[in-house]
């Protein structure tokens, strides 16, 4: 089909995903964060990227035509006016995927997906991750840094602490 061909042309392994509904509002759609970031990376090399990038909601911009679903999120942080991303949610499922420029001026791609969350505000976690990426630097000036695969401030490679919430997560930094 046309959507599968377009995704394949952008380097997405279509054999490893399921798209039952193009609206994105279907529990039958199955896509991984890795597939989303691969798509976002591939989009950067396309001639339409600049227009598409500017059309994404921008964190902390109160104008709903610019900030969209991110208009009230991440205001007053390094992510404000910086994170260009798409949100998505269904009951028990939420995600934030897009682009953020780090403190060194590099455009990073990210995707955060939460499934079956209980007693946690995943949007707050998504925002904290996006802000952390906006603050990221390789400089050793005391700013927050993240290095290597699965790097978190916690001692355990698979558990991270955000506030008082302990999360079991798959985390890789590329």
């Amino acid at each position: 089909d046309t959507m599968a061909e377009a995704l394949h042309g952008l380097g997405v392994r279509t054999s490893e995903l399921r798209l039952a509904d193009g609206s994105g509002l279907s529990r039958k759609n199955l896509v991984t964060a890795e597939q989303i970031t691969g798509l976002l990376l591939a989009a950067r090399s396309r001639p339409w990227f600049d227009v598409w990038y500017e059309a994404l909601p921008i964190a902390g911009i109160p104008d709903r035509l610019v900030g969209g679903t991110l208009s009230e999120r991440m205001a007053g942080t390094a992510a404000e006016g910086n994170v260009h991303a798409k949100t998505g949610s269904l009951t028990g499922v939420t995600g934030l995927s897009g682009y953020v420029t780090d403190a060194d001026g590099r455009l990073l791609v990210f995707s955060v997906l939460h499934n079956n969350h209980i007693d946690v505000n995943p949007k707050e976690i998504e925002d904290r991750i996006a802000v952390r990426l906006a603050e990221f630097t390789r400089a050793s000036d005391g700013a927050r840094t993240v290095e290597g695969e699965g790097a978190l401030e916690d001692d355990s490679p698979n558990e991270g602490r955000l506030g008082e919430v302990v999360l079991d997560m798959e985390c890789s930094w590329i």
Side-chain angles (χ1 to χ4, degrees):
D1 87 323
T2 304
M3 187 177 347
E5 288 175 24
L7 290 171
H8 182 72
L10 288 165
V12 176
R13 292 184 308 271
T14 56
S15 63
E16 298 177 16
L17 60 83
R18 182 171 40 169
L19 296 175
D21 181 325
S23 74
L25 295 174
S26 172
R27 294 195 180 280
K28 295 179 181 179
N29 287 343
L30 300 173
V31 181
T32 67
E34 180 182 12
Q35 292 164 323
I36 292 171
T37 55
L39 176 64
L40 294 171
L41 282 168
R44 290 179 60 186
S45 66
R46 299 298 193 241
W48 42 261
F49 174 75
D50 291 338
V51 173
W52 184 60
Y53 176 79
E54 289 303 323
L56 289 169
I58 304 171
I61 304 298
D63 181 344
R64 294 286 296 171
L65 294 177
V66 178
T69 54
L70 296 178
S71 63
E72 296 180 14
R73 293 176 62 176
M74 297 174 263
T77 71
E80 179 180 345
N82 179 348
V83 169
H84 292 235
K86 179 72 182 90
T87 61
S89 62
L90 292 168
T91 303
V93 179
T94 183
L96 179 67
S97 301
Y99 305 91
V100 58
T101 301
D102 71 7
D104 295 332
R106 292 171 303 164
L107 187 62
L108 306 177
V109 172
F110 70 95
S111 182
V112 181
L113 304 176
H114 288 93
N115 291 298
N116 300 318
H117 51 82
I118 299 172
D119 294 333
V120 172
N121 180 354
K123 291 181 180 171
E124 180 180 324
I125 295 166
E126 293 166 357
D127 291 356
R128 292 186 71 179
I129 291 169
V131 169
R132 181 76 181 265
L133 290 171
E135 295 170 343
F136 174 78
T137 180
R138 292 198 186 277
S140 59
D141 62 3
R144 293 181 173 206
T145 63
V146 177
E147 294 182 17
E149 188 165 308
L152 296 169
E153 289 180 320
D154 218 279
D155 290 333
S156 169
N158 292 320
E159 290 190 10
R161 223 174 257 285
L162 295 175
E164 295 301 313
V165 179
V166 176
L167 306 168
D168 183 18
M169 69 177 82
E170 175 186 340
C171 184
S172 61
W173 305 90
I174 301 171

